[in-house]
């Protein structure tokens, strides 16, 4: 694993014979002091830095992360705050769930963990972990918000009188057909007359 990590950092690992040569040249006691000095350096360096060197992180890894951040690569965003899952992340979870219904809520959380490890190289922390019940509650909350906003927009459109002073009329169309084994969604579309621009609610 360490060899693979060194290759990822564009470094070449040393062989057994080279390691023995270094050990014989410096001595085990001096190498131990050098290791302690590196640990002391990390502790002292972290005191004045906003971005800390983790205990399990190589200095080369930290340097690579710093260069990526300087080049414009953002650090991982925090999914939750003191109020729970952030709305923009809840929206993305809902979008994925509605766009790919075959995944399912249970598999969605497992997929999130796999993608987190694939992109960030580490599993999500307890604060970043999102449970199935959390996603389900936020989807329901976002749906209520959407329904409220669409209702307000609908009322605003239908209360506008026509150029002749008549009330606006609207049509209600529903689709209750089943398009496949897992597609049980019902669609309702409400439209106003053509003079009201962008008045379509789904």
């Amino acid at each position: 694993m360490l060899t693979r990590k060194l290759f990822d950092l564009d470094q070449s690992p040393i062989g057994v014979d080279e390691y023995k040569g270094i050990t014989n040249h410096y001595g085990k006691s001096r190498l131990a002091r050098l290791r302690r000095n590196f640990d002391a350096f990390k502790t002292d360096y972290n005191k004045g830095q906003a971005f800390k060197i983790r205990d399990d992180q190589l200095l080369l890894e930290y340097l690579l992360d710093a260069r990526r951040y300087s080049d414009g690569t953002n650090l991982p965003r925090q999914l939750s705050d003191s109020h729970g899952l952030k709305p923009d992340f809840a929206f993305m979870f809902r979008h994925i769930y509605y766009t790919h219904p075959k995944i399912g809520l249970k598999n969605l959380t497992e997929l999130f963990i796999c993608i987190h490890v694939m992109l960030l190289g580490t599993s999500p922390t307890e604060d970043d972990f999102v449970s199935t019940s959390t996603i389900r509650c936020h989807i329901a909350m976002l749906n209520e918000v959407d329904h409220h906003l669409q209702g307000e927009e609908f009322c605003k459109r239908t209360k506008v009188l026509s150029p002749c002073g008549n009330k606006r009329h609207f049509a209600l169309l529903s689709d209750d057909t089943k398009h496949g084994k897992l597609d049980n969604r019902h669609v309702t579309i409400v439209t106003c007359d053509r003079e009201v621009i962008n008045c379509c609610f789904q």
Side-chain angles (χ1 to χ4, degrees):
M1 181 62 71
L2 180 59
T3 300
R4 177 69 261 180
K5 183 176 292 187
L6 288 174
F7 278 126
D8 292 340
L9 296 172
D10 197 22
Q11 302 295 321
S12 299
I14 61 176
V16 177
D17 295 336
E18 293 177 283
Y19 178 77
K20 290 181 178 179
I22 294 175
T23 304
N24 294 332
H25 177 75
Y26 290 101
K28 293 184 178 180
S29 59
R30 186 177 180 184
L31 288 177
R33 289 197 302 270
L34 290 174
R35 188 179 298 109
R36 288 194 297 269
N37 289 339
F38 273 113
D39 293 338
F41 164 76
K42 290 169 63 175
T43 302
D44 184 67
Y45 179 82
N46 284 340
K47 293 179 180 179
Q49 296 296 322
F51 302 106
K52 312 295 184 182
I53 306 176
R54 301 191 310 270
D55 293 336
D56 60 342
Q57 189 177 29
L58 299 175
L59 293 179
L60 289 173
E61 284 185 284
Y62 178 82
L63 180 61
L64 180 62
D65 289 342
R67 288 175 176 172
R68 289 173 58 247
Y69 180 75
S70 299
D71 292 337
T73 302
N74 293 331
L75 295 175
R77 296 192 295 168
Q78 188 177 4
L79 273 70
S80 305
D81 54 20
S82 58
H83 302 288
L85 185 64
K86 292 183 177 179
D88 50 344
F89 289 105
F91 174 83
M92 288 305 303
F93 278 118
R94 185 182 67 163
H95 176 74
I96 295 173
Y97 177 64
Y98 283 167
T99 307
H100 307 280
K102 293 184 178 180
I103 294 179
L105 284 178
K106 178 183 178 182
N107 295 330
L108 183 60
T109 57
E110 297 176 358
L111 180 63
F112 162 71
I113 296 174
C114 294
I115 294 177
H116 193 285
V117 175
M118 179 179 66
L119 296 180
L120 303 180
T122 180
S123 59
T125 62
E126 184 177 351
D127 294 334
D128 289 333
F129 178 77
V130 182
S131 65
T132 302
S133 59
T134 298
I135 296 177
R136 183 184 293 110
C137 292
H138 279 79
I139 288 177
M141 179 184 67
L142 289 175
N143 289 342
E144 290 295 328
V145 173
D146 285 347
H147 293 161
H148 174 74
L149 295 177
Q150 290 174 354
E152 285 189 339
E153 186 69 14
F154 175 73
C155 292
K156 183 174 65 175
R157 299 289 186 178
T158 55
K159 288 181 179 179
V160 178
L161 298 178
S162 68
C164 296
N166 298 320
K167 291 184 178 181
R168 299 285 185 181
H169 296 280
F170 63 91
L172 177 64
L173 304 175
S174 62
D175 181 8
D176 293 335
T177 58
K178 186 175 182 181
H179 306 282
K181 295 182 179 180
L182 300 178
D183 189 359
N184 296 318
R185 292 175 294 176
H186 305 293
V187 177
T188 301
I189 299 178
V190 181
T191 60
C192 295
D193 59 67
R194 296 180 179 178
E195 294 181 2
V196 182
I197 303 175
N198 297 328
C199 187
C200 181
F201 304 91
Q202 180 173 344

